[in-house]
Amino acid sequence: MVVAVSHHPHTLQYKAEIAALKSAAAVVRAEAAAEKMLLIADTNAESPNVPIGRSSQSVMEDIYPGAGEVKSTDLLITCCAWQYVHTYDRIVAAHFPHSSAIATALPFLDVHPPFAARYMHDPVLATLTYPGRLHQNSDLKPAASGSHARAGTIALIVVLVLALSLILVV
């Protein structure tokens, strides 16, 4: 699985600057022979319910054109201190089984911590639950024996910072 953590470009620079993340993600997915991908990002994209908004599907397809159907955290207001009016922060999963699900929670709930600084985002807690094995490469050994499908859960707490892009192979 490839995990991309990103502070996406703002609207005016988006088309020109997202290409670098798309290219890097493609190289890492190819080198790791991984189809599964998690995007953890401050997308700088509003909810698709507003005229300039973007769906999590379209945001993932910008960096992973072959993503297929994606699963995403709920788009909750997490940005930014001290006004909190944007739904930019998302965790999006690609190439997980159709029966996968992502539960979303806000660890701070409606109470913002006293250490909140200007432009700070609230964290998003995502729990991705999926049937089957996470690793499908033939050279990897399964974590347990048996022929039954395995279920797994990935829990991620995301605290986003500005100007961050990182790609990991898990």
Side-chain angles (χ1 to χ4, degrees), residues 28-126:
V28 173
R29 277 195 326 276
E31 288 178 1
E35 286 188 325
K36 289 178 176 57
M37 183 170 181
L38 285 178
L39 171 64
I40 304 170
D42 169 358
T43 65
N44 284 306
E46 296 289 353
S47 165
N49 299 330
V50 299
I52 60 169
R54 307 265 324 278
S55 69
S56 294
Q57 180 76 42
S58 70
V59 169
M60 177 63 92
E61 288 173 352
D62 286 346
I63 64 165
Y64 189 3
E69 179 185 345
V70 303
K71 304 293 181 179
S72 175
T73 51
D74 297 331
L75 301 184
L76 303 174
I77 296 172
T78 56
C79 175
C80 310
W82 290 286
Q83 295 174 343
Y84 294 101
V85 295
H86 302 290
T87 58
Y88 295 163
D89 305 312
R90 308 174 192 201
I91 300 169
V92 187
H95 273 283
F96 283 83
H98 291 291
S99 58
S100 300
I102 294 184
T104 310
L106 297 176
F108 293 156
L109 302 172
D110 290 332
V111 179
H112 306 290
F115 56 82
R118 188 169 183 208
Y119 302 124
M120 183 179 132
H121 296 229
D122 278 353
V124 174
L125 173 63

Side-chain angles (χ1 to χ4, degrees), residues 38 40 91 103 124-130 152-158:
L38 285 178
I40 304 170
I91 300 169
V124 174
L125 173 63
T127 304
L128 171 62
T129 305
Y130 55 91
T153 300
I154 299 172
L156 302 165
I157 297 178
V158 179

